Amino acid sequence: MLVVAAASLIQSEDVALVGLGLPQLAAQLAQRTHAPKMRMLLELGVFTPRPSGPSAGIADPRMWAGAGAFGGVLDTLGAMLHGGRITLGLLGALQVDGDGSINTTLVRDEGGRERRFNGSGGGNDVASLSQRVLVVMRHDRRKFAATLDFLTSPGQRVAGRRRGELGLSGSGTVAVVTDRAILEISPEGPVLASVHPGEDLDDVVACTPITLAMPPGGPSETPAPTTGQRNILREELDPDRWYTG
Amino acid sequence: MLVVAAASLIQSEDVALVGLGLPQLAAQLAQRTHAPKMRMLLELGVFTPRPSGPSAGIADPRMWAGAGAFGGVLDTLGAMLHGGRITLGLLGALQVDGDGSINTTLVRDEGGRERRFNGSGGGNDVASLSQRVLVVMRHDRRKFAATLDFLTSPGQRVAGRRRGELGLSGSGTVAVVTDRAILEISPEGPVLASVHPGEDLDDVVACTPITLAMPPGGPSETPAPTTGQRNILREELDPDRWYTG
Amino acid sequence: MSKVVGLEEAVGLVGDGSQVALCGFAITRNATAAVAAIIAAGRRRLRLVQVVGGMETDLLVGAGCVTSLVYSGGSLDRFGPLHSVNRAIASGSIEALEYSTLSLSLRLFAGSLDLPFVPTRTLLGSQLLEPLVAAGGAAVIEDPFIGHPAVALPPLRPDVAILHANLCDEDGNAVVTGPLWSIRETALAARQVVVTAERVVSAGSIDPGLVTIPGITVAAVSEVPFGGRPTAVFGEYEFEASLFEEHVAASRRGGDDLAAYLDRRIVGGWAA
Amino acid sequence: MSKVVGLEEAVGLVGDGSQVALCGFAITRNATAAVAAIIAAGRRRLRLVQVVGGMETDLLVGAGCVTSLVYSGGSLDRFGPLHSVNRAIASGSIEALEYSTLSLSLRLFAGSLDLPFVPTRTLLGSQLLEPLVAAGGAAVIEDPFIGHPAVALPPLRPDVAILHANLCDEDGNAVVTGPLWSIRETALAARQVVVTAERVVSAGSIDPGLVTIPGITVAAVSEVPFGGRPTAVFGEYEFEASLFEEHVAASRRGGDDLAAYLDRRIVGGWAA
């Protein structure tokens, strides 16, 4: 459901820089369904791959299948992203705040001890320079924070300052897609745009500990995955349920 | 003689960035005789070619024969030259001054009218950033000037300021080699180090209208070309006398 | 999806007044067929950008299509200088902004990534620098880390780059063999890229490791065998000395001789 | 003239305290054989530089060879994080300076050309920036042309880069197939480059158009078939999941389990 909901926000015209994990699956699914012309890039230097099966991550050569060209980071994160040619960044997150800023570096327990994760990689670059960004992550109350344990990648605002004032380009995070709901990040803050079929609205809100606005008329229900989408995910893209377990 | 004299100043340990025309021949001759390990680079992205015959210039693919690698300007003039790895620059000149600064852009006639030539190309870069530079050109009194018509490429000083003060690296031009003599450029100015066999010292001085110091004991005679050197030049590198006419 | 069009349509991306980046170098890999099509289309007021000028530059300037040129000089190697370019600059009929090869390549590199600028140590002490600073094409700054002087070069993003490749697929993935001088920086800096290629093949049939310019940056592809003649195209054909001699003679004389040469070659081309 | 030496001699260019740049990326193209040889040689106080860390990083840190790490993060893709690295940073036993992938690649690009610095718009607004500024690894400046804020990144020039290539000739001309992430910037920034390669061939037998790293920048070459196992080397072999699972389990547990794993694999290697 998470992957299907994220894929639905990807457009056929997008030039998408795709991060590790769930974002890969969402991009692959969109490419295989409603957005066949969507062009995918991987930061390590892969242009327009069309992978047909599962992979262990962006550094797994199976993810590079069907690529039109290989290059380097100065081409993908440089000429394409810093050069203003990436319409969509697809990123995972450890934690996200109401501005759509992302933490992928570390979390602190109540005693203040750090537990470290993957760091930025190209995530900070993608968040800083894409025209728009989708965050794709599991819904867990610990993953929503009014103040991030570490602000790896800026969203629409940082400490109240808009990204344009900071010198950044593009819109920043426009939506956070989880396995329970879609949160749109508006200039005024996060809006609970839709909840997924079978989810209880109040419970979703209770599990989203950031200040959340409601759209006029309340959140809609996210369209359910089609059988075709399910089959592609289960049979081709993630048969061993590495990501969609 | 010009090419042989210039070649004699190239060392087997040199990593040389080689300009259009006579510099190419000098580098090829040195590589074929006393400096077999000398590594040549061409600005357009050619690493360590070993051309065996004549060519129409650095953009003639025959000059790229035997290359170890191809790349671009950011590799040759960038990583190698700006990166501090070029020990020797070999350049031609329209005009040279007593500091070894070079004009390859334009000359003005007595009426002040401009006649334009090839411009800098990579010449300014090579002169600005090589550990040392040899200028290779025909001996003509109009080619020596106290003040250049245009200072394309800096030598050891510009308007009295040393190149280190200007922010440049390396020594700048250490010698000007012509078809009549070798001028060394010392920190104090140009020194007539040697005149070629058969040349009249006074006439050479008269045809070199810049303030010229003499070495202790006077200029030596440049060693004459060997038969082997002549044969390589005449039969292999420049059989049609494009350059050594 | 295919970007393959005829040559006339491809060069249609160049309009009057466009800033056009050329990718040839002296006597090698000039997009002469594309340039002839631009001249034939009657384009005017072009603003050229080219790291090292060659035959394509001399043709466009000689045909009167050009108002300005940003370059680092150029020549036709032993065949001679760019007479039409040199005469136009000396007479003031075009404006020239002159860099060194590295500094202009760095401006294009900055353009390709849209970096705020790129600092370098080259150009310091040269008479090239002052007119560049006056025109806003360079600034002398201090390194914020160690305080040394440096030349800041602003990004350059031409409207259209024209490249003659060996091989290209329908999606624009283009293969250039041999040395690359500033081809990648120039193409990636441009907002649109037009590729002419000796051979155009279907999407997916080129090894992605051999691709020089990713198709995602390419707007139009046209198959033009011998599209680089009479210049040398590495892996395809050598330069043709007699055609360079013809060009240089006409370009040196200018006037009616140049006009007659252009009339003959712009229509007839240089292919055998 | 040949630069070909045994692996032990090649990694002899890495001394105690050297700043060593690694070229692997997560689970792909790690120079595991070279890294094992560095560990076996007992090197200490290494200062690592790597754009995206992977197995080679986790091995060197886990073996206690490292005092500092300049990187932009890293992982073993779905197999898990770099446990030894993360634990060492959290406990303070190594110092880490963290960039983003692009910003660190630009520092290495600046190093490869010895540019005074390179300015960028990335990193602005991130908590990554402040510690970088404090450490002299970045500075916030104003663009001299339009006055916008920019992050200036100083050049980084490691002592030695270690790269596992598919193919290399005796002169060091090295071929890397597939995507190149920051391999070229890293190798060209380093003062010396050590290449391990699946196959070493005689000088002159590689098409110069296929060469990724020019031999002129390479100090030593060593033929090490399967020198990247268990990571994936594009064009050669896939990654081996069970060996990653073994690594991650040992690295997560640390202590005696990690020591036993290192004892076993540093001597025995990962090849089949």
Side-chain angles (χ1 to χ4, degrees):
Chain A
M1 185 64 225
L2 192 174
V3 172
V4 172
S8 73
L9 299 178
I10 299 172
Q11 296 160 10
S12 209
E13 296 70 36
D14 274 323
V15 179
L17 224 153
V18 179
L20 179 63
L22 292 165
Q24 294 174 235
L25 281 187
Q28 284 183 268
L29 181 63
Q31 194 179 59
R32 299 290 295 281
T33 54
H34 67 282
K37 295 186 189 170
M38 186 269 291
R39 287 163 292 175
M40 195 191 304
L41 280 82
L42 305 176
E43 65 176 68
L44 73 178
V46 182
F47 285 82
T48 59
R50 304 191 76 83
S52 57
S55 69
I58 60 168
D60 179 350
R62 291 177 295 193
M63 188 65 198
W64 315 337
F70 292 138
V73 161
L74 295 187
D75 300 313
T76 53
L77 300 182
M80 293 299 298
L81 178 66
H82 206 288
R85 293 155 169 152
I86 296 296
T87 64
L88 178 66
L90 282 167
L91 296 173
L94 279 179
Q95 263 186 341
V96 70
D97 71 13
D99 296 320
S101 294
I102 300 167
N103 172 15
T104 53
T105 300
L106 58 86
V107 291
R108 286 203 183 82
D109 65 18
E110 278 138 38
R113 263 188 323 219
E114 287 181 6
R115 191 171 160 215
R116 301 184 69 89
F117 289 84
N118 294 0
S120 164
N124 167 272
D125 306 310
V126 172
S128 298
L129 301 161
S130 297
Q131 288 173 28
R132 67 188 208 284
V133 173
L134 294 184
V135 176
V136 188
M137 66 177 206
R138 283 183 201 293
H139 207 114
D140 180 323
R141 49 179 303 124
R142 291 169 304 178
K143 292 172 76 75
F144 292 95
T147 304
L148 300 172
D149 288 341
F150 190 93
L151 195 158
T152 314
S153 304
Q156 294 197 17
R157 276 176 298 264
V158 173
R161 296 182 67 197
R162 297 194 58 76
R163 53 192 281 129
E165 296 170 52
L166 296 168
L168 300 173
S169 49
S171 309
T173 305
V174 295
V176 178
V177 182
T178 76
D179 48 332
R180 304 188 69 183
I182 297 178
L183 282 65
E184 288 177 8
I185 311 291
S186 80
E188 288 72 44
V191 178
L192 185 59
S194 72
V195 294
H196 298 345
E199 295 292 340
D200 178 72
L201 174 60
D202 293 340
D203 195 53
V204 167
V205 172
C207 290
T208 312
I210 52 175
T211 310
L212 213 50
M214 295 295 156
S220 60
E221 185 175 285
T222 319
T226 65
T227 310
Q229 288 170 328
R230 273 185 203 283
N231 286 347
I232 290 172
L233 266 179
R234 292 294 181 228
E235 288 166 24
E236 298 176 36
L237 302 182
D238 193 27
D240 298 326
R241 307 220 173 174
W242 286 344
Y243 301 105
T244 58
Chain B
M1 186 63 224
L2 193 173
V3 173
V4 172
S8 73
L9 299 179
I10 300 171
Q11 296 159 11
S12 209
E13 295 70 35
D14 273 323
V15 178
L17 223 153
V18 178
L20 179 63
L22 291 166
Q24 294 174 234
L25 282 187
Q28 285 182 266
L29 181 63
Q31 194 180 57
R32 299 290 296 280
T33 54
H34 67 281
K37 295 185 189 172
M38 186 269 291
R39 287 163 293 174
M40 193 190 307
L41 280 83
L42 305 176
E43 65 177 68
L44 73 177
V46 183
F47 285 82
T48 58
R50 305 192 75 84
S52 57
S55 69
I58 59 168
D60 179 351
R62 291 178 295 194
M63 188 65 197
W64 314 337
F70 292 139
V73 161
L74 295 187
D75 299 313
T76 53
L77 300 182
M80 293 300 296
L81 178 65
H82 207 289
R85 292 154 169 153
I86 296 295
T87 65
L88 177 67
L90 282 168
L91 295 173
L94 279 178
Q95 264 185 342
V96 70
D97 71 11
D99 295 320
S101 293
I102 300 167
N103 172 14
T104 52
T105 301
L106 57 86
V107 291
R108 286 201 184 83
D109 65 17
E110 276 138 38
R113 262 188 324 219
E114 287 182 4
R115 191 171 160 217
R116 302 183 67 89
F117 290 83
N118 294 0
S120 164
N124 167 271
D125 306 310
V126 172
S128 298
L129 300 162
S130 298
Q131 288 174 29
R132 67 189 209 284
V133 173
L134 294 183
V135 176
V136 188
M137 67 177 206
R138 282 183 203 294
H139 206 115
D140 180 323
R141 52 177 302 123
R142 291 170 303 178
K143 293 171 75 74
F144 292 95
T147 303
L148 300 172
D149 288 341
F150 190 94
L151 194 157
T152 314
S153 305
Q156 294 197 17
R157 275 176 299 264
V158 173
R161 294 182 68 198
R162 299 195 57 77
R163 53 192 283 129
E165 296 170 53
L166 297 168
L168 300 173
S169 49
S171 308
T173 304
V174 297
V176 178
V177 182
T178 76
D179 48 332
R180 303 187 70 183
I182 297 177
L183 283 66
E184 288 177 5
I185 311 292
S186 79
E188 287 73 43
V191 177
L192 185 58
S194 70
V195 294
H196 298 345
E199 295 292 340
D200 178 72
L201 174 60
D202 292 341
D203 195 52
V204 167
V205 171
C207 290
T208 312
I210 52 174
T211 309
L212 213 50
M214 296 294 159
S220 59
E221 185 174 283
T222 320
T226 64
T227 311
Q229 287 169 326
R230 274 186 202 282
N231 287 347
I232 290 172
L233 265 179
R234 291 296 181 226
E235 289 165 22
E236 299 176 36
L237 302 183
D238 193 26
D240 299 325
R241 306 218 174 175
W242 286 344
Y243 300 106
T244 58
Chain C
M1 283 287 276
S2 167
K3 296 170 179 174
V4 180
V5 295
L7 179 57
E8 208 175 319
E9 186 177 341
V11 303
L13 292 171
V14 175
D16 289 340
S18 288
Q19 189 173 41
V20 180
L22 302 172
C23 294
F25 187 115
I27 62 168
T28 202
R29 198 180 286 281
N30 284 219
T32 48
V35 157
I38 291 169
I39 294 171
R43 292 283 77 80
R44 283 294 178 270
R45 303 187 311 281
L46 301 182
R47 296 169 295 134
L48 298 187
V49 173
Q50 184 171 29
V51 173
V52 172
M55 185 166 180
E56 53 195 5
T57 338
D58 209 49
L59 286 166
L60 283 166
V61 172
C65 309
V66 177
T67 58
S68 70
L69 174 59
V70 177
Y71 81 146
S72 74
S75 79
L76 298 172
D77 277 6
R78 80 164 177 91
F79 299 103
L82 306 178
H83 288 294
S84 296
V85 170
N86 288 347
R87 194 167 47 233
I89 297 173
S91 75
S93 71
I94 72 171
E95 258 187 87
L97 202 57
E98 287 194 62
Y99 287 85
S100 65
T101 297
L102 178 59
S103 55
L104 185 49
S105 301
L106 288 172
R107 270 202 77 179
L108 290 161
F109 176 76
S112 72
L113 275 71
D114 200 20
L115 297 177
F117 63 97
V118 169
T120 173
R121 288 177 285 115
T122 203
L123 289 179
L124 288 165
S126 165
Q127 262 184 287
L128 293 166
L129 186 55
E130 199 181 320
L132 295 176
V133 171
V140 178
I141 60 166
E142 245 184 36
D143 172 339
F145 296 100
I146 51 174
H148 286 187
V151 176
L153 298 161
L156 183 56
R157 307 200 85 175
D159 296 321
V160 191
I162 313 276
L163 167 66
H164 187 63
N166 299 64
L167 179 68
C168 192
D169 75 15
E170 296 167 335
D171 290 341
N173 294 295
V175 177
V176 172
T177 62
L180 296 175
W181 50 96
S182 313
I183 291 172
R184 295 190 82 249
E185 292 77 59
T186 304
L188 294 176
R191 294 176 198 282
Q192 295 193 293
V193 180
V194 172
V195 174
T196 60
E198 294 290 325
R199 292 171 301 286
V200 173
V201 295
S202 59
S205 57
I206 298 179
D207 174 351
L210 300 179
V211 171
T212 312
I213 306 296
I216 202 165
T217 66
V218 172
V221 177
S222 190
E223 185 172 83
V224 188
F226 301 110
R229 269 199 182 166
T231 69
V233 176
F234 188 74
E236 307 290 341
Y237 36 83
E238 299 199 344
F239 65 86
E240 290 174 72
S242 64
L243 291 170
F244 276 109
E245 285 156 7
E246 179 190 337
H247 175 95
V248 170
S251 183
R252 186 178 55 237
R253 288 193 294 264
D256 291 346
D257 287 336
L258 176 57
Y261 163 75
L262 289 171
D263 281 349
R264 187 165 69 247
R265 293 295 178 185
I266 294 311
V267 176
W270 295 268
Chain D
M1 281 286 277
S2 168
K3 296 171 179 173
V4 181
V5 296
L7 179 57
E8 206 176 321
E9 187 176 342
V11 302
L13 292 171
V14 175
D16 289 340
S18 289
Q19 189 173 42
V20 180
L22 302 172
C23 294
F25 187 115
I27 62 167
T28 203
R29 199 180 285 282
N30 284 218
T32 47
V35 157
I38 291 169
I39 295 171
R43 293 282 76 80
R44 284 293 178 270
R45 302 188 311 282
L46 301 182
R47 295 168 297 133
L48 298 188
V49 173
Q50 184 171 28
V51 173
V52 173
M55 185 166 178
E56 54 196 4
T57 338
D58 210 48
L59 284 166
L60 283 166
V61 172
C65 307
V66 177
T67 58
S68 70
L69 173 59
V70 177
Y71 81 145
S72 74
S75 78
L76 297 172
D77 277 5
R78 80 163 177 91
F79 299 103
L82 306 178
H83 289 293
S84 295
V85 170
N86 288 348
R87 194 167 46 233
I89 297 172
S91 74
S93 72
I94 73 171
E95 258 186 87
L97 203 56
E98 287 194 63
Y99 287 86
S100 65
T101 297
L102 178 59
S103 55
L104 185 49
S105 300
L106 288 172
R107 270 202 77 179
L108 289 161
F109 177 77
S112 72
L113 275 72
D114 201 20
L115 298 177
F117 64 98
V118 168
T120 173
R121 289 176 286 114
T122 203
L123 289 180
L124 288 165
S126 164
Q127 262 184 288
L128 291 165
L129 186 55
E130 199 182 318
L132 295 175
V133 171
V140 178
I141 61 167
E142 246 184 35
D143 173 340
F145 296 99
I146 51 173
H148 286 187
V151 176
L153 298 162
L156 182 55
R157 306 200 85 174
D159 296 320
V160 191
I162 313 276
L163 167 65
H164 187 64
N166 299 64
L167 180 67
C168 192
D169 75 13
E170 296 166 337
D171 290 341
N173 293 294
V175 177
V176 172
T177 62
L180 297 175
W181 50 94
S182 313
I183 290 172
R184 296 189 81 250
E185 293 76 60
T186 304
L188 294 175
R191 295 176 198 281
Q192 296 194 292
V193 180
V194 172
V195 173
T196 60
E198 294 291 323
R199 292 171 301 287
V200 174
V201 296
S202 59
S205 56
I206 298 179
D207 174 351
L210 300 180
V211 171
T212 312
I213 306 296
I216 203 165
T217 65
V218 172
V221 178
S222 190
E223 185 171 82
V224 187
F226 301 110
R229 270 200 183 162
T231 69
V233 176
F234 188 72
E236 308 290 340
Y237 37 83
E238 300 198 345
F239 66 85
E240 290 174 71
S242 64
L243 291 170
F244 275 109
E245 285 157 6
E246 179 190 337
H247 175 96
V248 170
S251 183
R252 186 178 56 237
R253 288 193 295 264
D256 291 347
D257 287 336
L258 176 58
Y261 163 75
L262 289 170
D263 281 349
R264 186 166 68 246
R265 293 296 178 185
I266 294 311
V267 176
W270 295 267

